[in-house]
Amino acid sequence: MKRWWAVVAYVIIPGIDGSDEAHWQSLWQRQWGSSAVRISPASWSAPDLDDWVDAVQEAYDDAARQDSDIVLVAHSLGCWAAASWLGRYPSNPAGGAFLVAPPDPHGPAFPRRAAATFTELSAQPLPCPALVVGSTTDPYCTAEAAAEFATRWAARWHLAGAYGHLNSASELGAWQQGWELLDSLTRQWCA
C-alpha cells in the first residue's frame, strides 16, 4: 500500500507574515522536500486577497508537476486564501484542504488594516474534502466561530485543545497531532 506522504504534493499556505522556521508548516515542508511548494505572494505583511489567490494558483501549478494528488495545507489567513482559491477555481482538482486556525474576519482581533481585502469573505462549501482544526484559546477566532466556518465550508471539524493560534508561539514543534489529522484527511483517497 502506498502511503500518502510518498504520493502527494502539498501547497503550503501560511498566514500573515508567513510561517517562521519553528512553525509546524515550515517543519513539515522541510520533511516533504520537493513534494511541497510554498506560496510566494507579493507581500506577507500587507496581504492582498487577489495576489494571494494568484500565488496559490502558481504554487498549485508547481505542485501539479510533482503529483496529481494535491493537498492544500493552510494556516490562519492562508485558510481564507485557500478557500477563496477553491471557490474561484473549482475545476482544479485538489485532493483536500487542511485548514488550521482560520481567523474570524469579523472578530475583534482580525488585522483589518493589514488584511483589508479579506474582511468581507464568507465561508462557502468547498469542492474537495476538507478538515478545519481550531483551538479553544485562539485569540483570532473562537472555537464556535471556527466550527461554524467548518460547517459552512462543508468540512470536518476538529477541536485540538488549548493551543492558542496553533502557530510557533504554541510550541507545537512538528505537531504530531496535526500530522495525524492530515493523515486522516488524505489516507482515504491516496491508499
Short mmCIF file of all heavy atoms in Angstrom, two decimals, residues 121-152:
data_model
loop_
_atom_site.label_atom_id
_atom_site.label_comp_id
_atom_site.label_asym_id
_atom_site.label_seq_id
_atom_site.Cartn_x
_atom_site.Cartn_y
_atom_site.Cartn_z
N LEU A 121 -15.01 38.35 3.40
CA LEU A 121 -15.15 36.96 2.99
C LEU A 121 -16.16 36.22 3.86
O LEU A 121 -16.32 36.51 5.04
CB LEU A 121 -13.80 36.25 3.07
CG LEU A 121 -12.73 36.77 2.11
CD1 LEU A 121 -11.41 36.08 2.37
CD2 LEU A 121 -13.17 36.57 0.67
N SER A 122 -16.82 35.26 3.24
CA SER A 122 -17.71 34.36 3.98
C SER A 122 -17.44 32.94 3.51
O SER A 122 -17.05 32.72 2.37
CB SER A 122 -19.17 34.75 3.78
OG SER A 122 -19.53 34.60 2.42
N ALA A 123 -17.62 32.01 4.40
CA ALA A 123 -17.35 30.61 4.09
C ALA A 123 -18.46 30.03 3.20
O ALA A 123 -19.64 30.19 3.51
CB ALA A 123 -17.22 29.81 5.37
N GLN A 124 -18.04 29.38 2.13
CA GLN A 124 -18.95 28.71 1.19
C GLN A 124 -18.49 27.25 1.05
O GLN A 124 -17.32 26.95 1.26
CB GLN A 124 -18.90 29.39 -0.19
CG GLN A 124 -19.19 30.88 -0.16
CD GLN A 124 -20.60 31.20 0.27
OE1 GLN A 124 -21.54 30.47 -0.06
NE2 GLN A 124 -20.78 32.27 1.03
N PRO A 125 -19.38 26.33 0.69
CA PRO A 125 -18.97 24.93 0.55
C PRO A 125 -17.76 24.77 -0.37
O PRO A 125 -17.71 25.38 -1.44
CB PRO A 125 -20.22 24.25 -0.03
CG PRO A 125 -21.35 25.10 0.42
CD PRO A 125 -20.82 26.51 0.40
N LEU A 126 -16.82 23.97 0.07
CA LEU A 126 -15.60 23.72 -0.71
C LEU A 126 -15.81 22.52 -1.63
O LEU A 126 -16.53 21.58 -1.29
CB LEU A 126 -14.42 23.48 0.23
CG LEU A 126 -14.10 24.64 1.18
CD1 LEU A 126 -12.97 24.26 2.12
CD2 LEU A 126 -13.75 25.89 0.39
N PRO A 127 -15.13 22.51 -2.79
CA PRO A 127 -15.32 21.43 -3.76
C PRO A 127 -14.44 20.20 -3.53
O PRO A 127 -14.31 19.37 -4.43
CB PRO A 127 -14.95 22.12 -5.08
CG PRO A 127 -13.88 23.08 -4.69
CD PRO A 127 -14.29 23.58 -3.33
N CYS A 128 -13.84 20.09 -2.35
CA CYS A 128 -12.98 18.94 -2.06
C CYS A 128 -13.11 18.60 -0.58
O CYS A 128 -13.62 19.40 0.21
CB CYS A 128 -11.53 19.26 -2.41
SG CYS A 128 -10.77 20.53 -1.37
N PRO A 129 -12.66 17.41 -0.18
CA PRO A 129 -12.67 17.09 1.26
C PRO A 129 -11.82 18.10 2.02
O PRO A 129 -10.77 18.53 1.54
CB PRO A 129 -12.04 15.69 1.32
CG PRO A 129 -12.17 15.13 -0.05
CD PRO A 129 -12.13 16.30 -0.99
N ALA A 130 -12.31 18.51 3.18
CA ALA A 130 -11.58 19.50 3.97
C ALA A 130 -11.71 19.18 5.45
O ALA A 130 -12.69 18.57 5.88
CB ALA A 130 -12.11 20.90 3.67
N LEU A 131 -10.72 19.62 6.20
CA LEU A 131 -10.70 19.47 7.65
C LEU A 131 -10.26 20.79 8.24
O LEU A 131 -9.21 21.34 7.86
CB LEU A 131 -9.73 18.36 8.05
CG LEU A 131 -9.46 18.16 9.55
CD1 LEU A 131 -10.74 17.86 10.33
CD2 LEU A 131 -8.44 17.05 9.76
N VAL A 132 -11.08 21.34 9.13
CA VAL A 132 -10.76 22.57 9.84
C VAL A 132 -10.34 22.20 11.26
O VAL A 132 -11.04 21.44 11.94
CB VAL A 132 -11.97 23.53 9.87
CG1 VAL A 132 -11.64 24.78 10.69
CG2 VAL A 132 -12.40 23.90 8.46
N VAL A 133 -9.21 22.74 11.69
CA VAL A 133 -8.69 22.48 13.04
C VAL A 133 -8.65 23.81 13.78
O VAL A 133 -8.13 24.80 13.27
CB VAL A 133 -7.28 21.85 12.99
CG1 VAL A 133 -6.78 21.57 14.40
CG2 VAL A 133 -7.29 20.58 12.14
N GLY A 134 -9.21 23.81 14.98
CA GLY A 134 -9.22 25.02 15.79
C GLY A 134 -8.72 24.76 17.20
O GLY A 134 -8.43 23.63 17.58
N SER A 135 -8.65 25.84 17.97
CA SER A 135 -8.16 25.80 19.34
C SER A 135 -9.16 26.51 20.24
O SER A 135 -9.81 27.46 19.82
CB SER A 135 -6.80 26.51 19.39
OG SER A 135 -6.42 26.83 20.71
N THR A 136 -9.22 26.08 21.47
CA THR A 136 -10.13 26.73 22.43
C THR A 136 -9.60 28.08 22.90
O THR A 136 -10.35 28.86 23.47
CB THR A 136 -10.36 25.84 23.67
OG1 THR A 136 -9.09 25.58 24.29
CG2 THR A 136 -11.04 24.54 23.30
N THR A 137 -8.33 28.36 22.66
CA THR A 137 -7.72 29.61 23.13
C THR A 137 -7.12 30.45 22.00
O THR A 137 -6.20 31.22 22.23
CB THR A 137 -6.63 29.30 24.18
OG1 THR A 137 -5.67 28.39 23.60
CG2 THR A 137 -7.22 28.70 25.45
N ASP A 138 -7.67 30.33 20.81
CA ASP A 138 -7.16 31.11 19.67
C ASP A 138 -7.61 32.56 19.82
O ASP A 138 -8.81 32.83 19.86
CB ASP A 138 -7.70 30.52 18.37
CG ASP A 138 -7.06 31.12 17.13
OD1 ASP A 138 -6.53 32.26 17.21
OD2 ASP A 138 -7.08 30.45 16.08
N PRO A 139 -6.68 33.51 19.90
CA PRO A 139 -7.07 34.91 20.07
C PRO A 139 -7.72 35.50 18.82
O PRO A 139 -8.34 36.56 18.89
CB PRO A 139 -5.76 35.63 20.39
CG PRO A 139 -4.71 34.77 19.78
CD PRO A 139 -5.22 33.35 19.90
N TYR A 140 -7.58 34.84 17.67
CA TYR A 140 -8.11 35.36 16.42
C TYR A 140 -9.45 34.75 16.01
O TYR A 140 -10.04 35.19 15.02
CB TYR A 140 -7.09 35.16 15.29
CG TYR A 140 -5.82 35.90 15.55
CD1 TYR A 140 -4.69 35.24 16.04
CD2 TYR A 140 -5.74 37.27 15.33
CE1 TYR A 140 -3.52 35.93 16.30
CE2 TYR A 140 -4.57 37.97 15.59
CZ TYR A 140 -3.47 37.29 16.08
OH TYR A 140 -2.32 37.98 16.35
N CYS A 141 -9.91 33.75 16.75
CA CYS A 141 -11.17 33.10 16.39
C CYS A 141 -11.64 32.23 17.54
O CYS A 141 -10.88 31.41 18.06
CB CYS A 141 -10.98 32.25 15.14
SG CYS A 141 -12.50 31.61 14.43
N THR A 142 -12.90 32.37 17.91
CA THR A 142 -13.45 31.47 18.93
C THR A 142 -13.62 30.08 18.34
O THR A 142 -13.73 29.92 17.11
CB THR A 142 -14.81 31.97 19.43
OG1 THR A 142 -15.75 31.90 18.34
CG2 THR A 142 -14.74 33.39 19.99
N ALA A 143 -13.64 29.08 19.18
CA ALA A 143 -13.87 27.72 18.72
C ALA A 143 -15.24 27.62 18.05
O ALA A 143 -15.39 26.90 17.05
CB ALA A 143 -13.76 26.74 19.89
N GLU A 144 -16.21 28.34 18.57
CA GLU A 144 -17.56 28.30 17.99
C GLU A 144 -17.56 28.88 16.57
O GLU A 144 -18.19 28.32 15.67
CB GLU A 144 -18.54 29.08 18.87
CG GLU A 144 -18.77 28.47 20.24
CD GLU A 144 -17.63 28.72 21.24
OE1 GLU A 144 -16.80 29.65 21.02
OE2 GLU A 144 -17.55 27.97 22.23
N ALA A 145 -16.86 29.98 16.37
CA ALA A 145 -16.80 30.57 15.03
C ALA A 145 -16.07 29.65 14.06
O ALA A 145 -16.50 29.47 12.92
CB ALA A 145 -16.13 31.94 15.07
N ALA A 146 -14.97 29.04 14.51
CA ALA A 146 -14.22 28.12 13.65
C ALA A 146 -15.08 26.91 13.28
O ALA A 146 -15.05 26.45 12.14
CB ALA A 146 -12.93 27.68 14.33
N ALA A 147 -15.85 26.40 14.24
CA ALA A 147 -16.75 25.28 13.96
C ALA A 147 -17.80 25.69 12.94
O ALA A 147 -18.18 24.90 12.06
CB ALA A 147 -17.40 24.79 15.25
N GLU A 148 -18.28 26.91 13.04
CA GLU A 148 -19.27 27.41 12.07
C GLU A 148 -18.65 27.54 10.68
O GLU A 148 -19.29 27.21 9.68
CB GLU A 148 -19.83 28.76 12.53
CG GLU A 148 -20.83 29.37 11.58
CD GLU A 148 -22.09 28.53 11.38
OE1 GLU A 148 -22.44 27.72 12.26
OE2 GLU A 148 -22.73 28.68 10.32
N PHE A 149 -17.39 28.00 10.60
CA PHE A 149 -16.71 28.04 9.30
C PHE A 149 -16.63 26.63 8.72
O PHE A 149 -16.88 26.43 7.53
CB PHE A 149 -15.31 28.63 9.42
CG PHE A 149 -15.25 30.06 9.86
CD1 PHE A 149 -14.19 30.52 10.60
CD2 PHE A 149 -16.26 30.95 9.54
CE1 PHE A 149 -14.12 31.84 11.02
CE2 PHE A 149 -16.21 32.28 9.95
CZ PHE A 149 -15.13 32.73 10.70
N ALA A 150 -16.28 25.66 9.54
CA ALA A 150 -16.19 24.28 9.07
C ALA A 150 -17.53 23.82 8.50
O ALA A 150 -17.58 23.22 7.43
CB ALA A 150 -15.73 23.36 10.20
N THR A 151 -18.60 24.12 9.21
CA THR A 151 -19.93 23.74 8.73
C THR A 151 -20.22 24.39 7.38
O THR A 151 -20.67 23.72 6.44
CB THR A 151 -21.01 24.15 9.76
OG1 THR A 151 -20.77 23.44 10.97
CG2 THR A 151 -22.41 23.84 9.26
N ARG A 152 -19.95 25.69 7.26
CA ARG A 152 -20.24 26.39 6.01
C ARG A 152 -19.31 25.98 4.87
O ARG A 152 -19.69 26.05 3.71
CB ARG A 152 -20.21 27.90 6.23
CG ARG A 152 -21.44 28.36 7.01
CD ARG A 152 -21.61 29.86 6.96
NE ARG A 152 -21.12 30.44 8.20
CZ ARG A 152 -20.54 31.61 8.32
NH1 ARG A 152 -20.36 32.37 7.27
NH2 ARG A 152 -20.15 32.05 9.48
#
